[in-house]
């Protein structure tokens, strides 16, 4: 039974989420954990598949995106136990041994699956692969990974002059490069480093600012030689590498915890305890910004699990104030900008977000979509070419909004609805299952 505040309505091919908070007295309470980190889950499945020996993954995210990764690598010969338990066993086939799949590889909605996998496919000599995805993924730019791979000697063809999937790849022996990436993107960096695993010598990626470093950490844990130069934001892999299967403990995803952090901040009288959240410094921009805005968040029980820092996060409601979010911090909170936009609506003053044009090429154009949907609820958000300007202190009213099939938009709108007057109906809310299948259950629990 869902609480009166949260209702799901099935229609022919999609799900509506109805959020109808009581006129007064809603306070969020609870102690729970969030599902496994999506970025780490993808990497554990991929490295497990190409390593020698067995990899045991604990806490894997059982969302749609890691399922896409698992099915692609199963189609290329890796044995992966069914994704119905958070303990998944991957029997690796050894570096260089991905088999030519009998059919097109389908990355679904997942940019991380297609871009990281491309580095591996391009470096498997003579084998032929084709890769596609859903309509959102087929409209996202692939040239950012195809160009550097071509510099390494890769043969890749795609729609729109090699810009978009479906893609065709003829694997080659690749040469190492030093790639100066024009964008701070962990997907670009990881793609090139994975391609470098089988190249002879040093493959280096230098970024304008540091993006999440889960690939570097996990490659090291699997036995690859990885060199990091923090001052220049450079990561190097030395090939040919040897990867040995490992036990990987996946922490809770801070990008999923972010929804509850903001929910507890903005709903008066709330207190939530979110256990076992990954706090890798390349991902904690959300904590820094919320603290700057006056949030009451404490980190408890800090520890390290498989090379990744973890903590329990306690958050209590507080009056937020506006801030400016731009520059080097953007890659460290890139996926949290939609939910930070919701926080900004409830802050005193005008919040400005800049340097975030990357959001236009995510699962949806997140700048345009979050502004249009929250404005339908009464927010005052102005779209900038590379960001948003959000006037705080405007009350929201429930209405019909759409996720545009983007998981982070669906969940951000649901949290905004907790403080809106009347019922908000979020169309195509099933998108949340991409990264957070239990989102609606937890929403119901904390409203309970
Ligand atoms: C990811 C990197 C980020 C992020 C995405 C996951 C990853 O994308 O937005 O959700 O796992 O490497 P970019 O590398 O395109 O910024």
């Amino acid at each position: 039974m869902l609480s009166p505040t949260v209702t799901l309505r099935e229609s022919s091919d999609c799900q509506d989420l109805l959020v109808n908070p009581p006129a007064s007295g809603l306070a969020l309470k609870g102690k729970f954990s969030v599902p496994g980190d999506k970025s780490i889950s993808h990497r554990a499945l991929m490295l497990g598949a190409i390593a020698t020996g067995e990899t045991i993954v604990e806490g894997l995210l059982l969302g749609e995106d890691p399922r896409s990764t698992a099915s692609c690598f199963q189609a290329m010969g890796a044995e992966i136990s069914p994704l119905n338990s958070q303990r998944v066993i991957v029997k690796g086939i050894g570096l260089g041994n991905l088999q030519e799949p009998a059919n097109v590889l389908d990355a679904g909605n997942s940019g991380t699956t297609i871009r990281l996998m491309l580095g591996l496919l391009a470096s498997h000599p003579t084998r032929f692969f084709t890769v596609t995805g859903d309509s959102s993924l087929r409209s996202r730019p692939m040239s950012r990974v195809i160009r550097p791979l071509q510099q390494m000697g890769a043969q890749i063809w795609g729609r729109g002059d090699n810009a978009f999937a479906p893609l065709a790849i003829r694997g080659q022996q690749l040469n190492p490069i030093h790639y100066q990436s024009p964008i701070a993107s962990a997907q670009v960096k990881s793609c090139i480093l994975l391609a470098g695993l089988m190249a002879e010598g040093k493959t280096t990626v230098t970024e304008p600012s540091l993006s999440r470093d889960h690939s570097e950490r996990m490659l090291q844990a699997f036995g690859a030689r990885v060199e990091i130069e923090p001052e220049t934001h450079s990561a190097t892999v030395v090939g040919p590498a040897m990867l040995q299967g490992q036990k990987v403990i996946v922490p809770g995803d801070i990008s999923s915890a972010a929804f509850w952090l903001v929910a507890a901040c903005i709903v008066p009288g709330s207190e939530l305890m979110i256990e076992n959240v990954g706090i890798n410094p390349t991902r904690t921009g959300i904590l820094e910004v919320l603290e700057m805005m006056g949030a009451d968040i404490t980190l408890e029980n800090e520890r390290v699990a498989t090379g990744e820092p973890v903590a329990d996060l306690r958050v209590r409601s507080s009056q937020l104030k506006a801030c400016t979010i731009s520059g080097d911090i953007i890659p460290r909170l890139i996926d949290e900008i939609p939910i930070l936009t919701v926080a900004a609506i409830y802050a005193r003053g005008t919040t400005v977000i800049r340097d975030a044009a990357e959001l236009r090429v995510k699962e949806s154009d997140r700048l345009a979509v979050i502004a249009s949907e929250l404005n339908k609820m009464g927010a005052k958000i102005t779209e900038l070419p590379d960001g948003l300007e959000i006037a705080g202190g405007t009350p929201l009213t429930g209405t019909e909004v759409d996720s545009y099939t983007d998981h982070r938009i669906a969940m951000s709108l649901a949290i905004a609805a907790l403080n809106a007057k009347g019922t908000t109906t979020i169309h195509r809310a099933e998108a949340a299952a991409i990264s957070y299948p239990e989102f609606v259950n937890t929403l119901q629990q904390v409203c309970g």
Side-chain angles (χ1 to χ4, degrees):
M1 264 300 285
L2 293 176
S3 72
T5 312
V6 180
T7 322
L8 272 178
R9 192 172 63 195
E10 303 284 339
S11 58
S12 56
D13 56 349
C14 64
Q15 228 174 35
D16 294 336
L17 175 63
L18 282 68
V19 181
N20 180 20
S24 67
L26 177 68
L28 310 179
K29 300 279 175 198
K31 180 175 171 178
F32 54 92
S33 53
V34 288
D37 187 281
K38 181 157 81 67
S39 294
I40 298 176
S41 295
H42 283 299
R43 286 156 174 83
L45 291 170
M46 286 190 197
L47 294 196
I50 60 167
T52 302
E54 199 170 85
T55 288
I56 298 172
V57 192
E58 278 181 11
L60 187 91
L61 166 64
L62 302 176
E64 298 299 328
D65 269 10
R67 288 181 196 281
S68 297
T69 293
S71 69
C72 288
F73 283 83
Q74 280 165 334
M76 295 186 284
E79 262 183 60
I80 303 175
S81 65
L83 265 58
N84 53 17
S85 131
Q86 285 185 357
R87 188 167 192 271
V88 170
I89 298 175
V90 185
K91 293 211 169 99
I93 50 177
L95 194 58
N97 293 329
L98 289 177
Q99 291 158 24
E100 197 172 84
N103 208 339
V104 179
L105 296 167
D106 186 356
N109 189 245
S110 176
T112 307
T113 306
I114 196 167
R115 293 197 178 113
L116 270 58
M117 190 167 67
L118 211 50
L120 293 172
L121 306 184
S123 56
H124 272 69
T126 74
R127 266 151 272 186
F128 179 73
F129 308 90
T130 49
V131 197
T132 192
D134 69 7
S135 59
S136 153
L137 191 60
R138 278 183 275 115
S139 68
R140 296 178 66 185
M142 293 301 139
S143 37
R144 56 181 56 198
V145 285
I146 294 176
R147 260 188 258 111
L149 287 174
Q150 285 172 333
Q151 285 176 30
M152 297 175 81
Q155 287 193 7
I156 306 175
W157 300 267
R159 274 188 316 120
D161 199 13
N162 288 346
F164 303 107
L167 304 171
I169 303 106
R170 169 72 68 192
Q172 304 291 319
Q173 174 62 45
L174 299 183
N175 303 310
I177 49 166
H178 184 163
Y179 185 59
Q180 303 273 353
S181 179
I183 41 173
S185 158
Q187 292 179 357
V188 171
K189 173 174 63 178
S190 305
C191 168
I192 308 307
L193 294 179
L194 291 178
L197 289 175
M198 292 207 286
E200 292 267 348
K202 290 189 171 187
T203 297
T204 302
V205 181
T206 298
E207 309 184 88
S209 48
L210 188 61
S211 66
R212 64 191 68 190
D213 65 358
H214 305 299
S215 296
E216 296 90 303
R217 286 174 189 250
M218 205 183 289
L219 280 167
Q220 266 170 330
F222 275 69
R225 246 183 80 194
V226 177
E227 295 164 7
I228 307 293
E229 258 192 50
E231 315 76 52
T232 57
H233 313 129
S234 300
T236 298
V237 70
V238 185
M242 291 281 291
L243 300 179
Q244 182 62 48
Q246 297 295 317
K247 179 166 180 181
V248 180
I249 299 172
V250 183
D253 198 327
I254 191 166
S255 298
S256 298
F259 299 108
W260 309 119
L261 294 175
V262 170
C265 284
I266 65 174
V267 177
S270 299
E271 176 168 349
L272 296 176
M273 175 66 157
I274 314 158
E275 295 176 306
N276 191 35
V277 181
I279 51 161
N280 177 314
T282 60
R283 299 283 299 281
T284 47
I286 174 83
L287 297 180
E288 286 160 44
V289 166
L290 285 176
E291 265 158 41
M292 198 159 69
M293 294 175 84
D296 178 358
I297 300 174
T298 49
L299 273 60
E300 298 176 13
N301 193 14
E302 287 190 47
R303 56 208 186 267
V304 175
T306 338
E308 292 279 350
V310 177
D312 302 333
L313 308 182
R314 186 182 298 279
V315 52
R316 298 184 182 90
S317 56
S318 52
Q319 174 60 58
L320 298 179
K321 55 179 190 293
C323 70
T324 297
I325 311 169
S326 62
D328 282 357
I329 201 167
I330 294 291
R332 298 175 50 234
L333 49 68
I334 189 78
D335 291 339
E336 286 69 76
I337 289 176
I339 191 63
L340 276 171
T341 307
V342 174
I345 295 172
Y346 292 100
R348 283 207 188 100
T350 298
T351 295
V352 180
I353 302 174
R354 303 297 313 234
D355 305 320
E358 268 296 299
L359 258 74
R360 296 203 181 276
V361 290
K362 296 290 180 189
E363 285 83 331
S364 67
D365 177 344
R366 285 184 175 158
L367 296 179
V369 169
I370 199 72
S372 83
E373 300 311 289
L374 289 171
N375 282 347
K376 284 182 193 165
M377 297 173 73
K380 291 208 171 83
I381 304 175
T382 311
E383 224 183 299
L384 308 171
D386 64 343
L388 298 169
E389 200 173 279
I390 307 130
T394 332
L396 297 188
T397 307
T399 185
E400 298 203 16
V401 289
D402 187 19
S403 76
Y404 284 75
T405 73
D406 183 328
H407 53 130
R408 300 202 196 280
I409 299 291
M411 293 184 275
S412 300
L413 293 172
I415 300 302
L418 289 176
N419 252 4
K421 190 161 172 274
T423 303
T424 302
T425 303
I426 302 148
H427 296 302
R428 299 193 276 181
E430 71 282 358
I434 290 288
S435 63
Y436 201 158
E438 306 92 328
F439 176 77
V440 174
N441 282 342
T442 306
L443 182 61
Q444 175 199 8
Q445 259 174 41
V446 300
C447 290

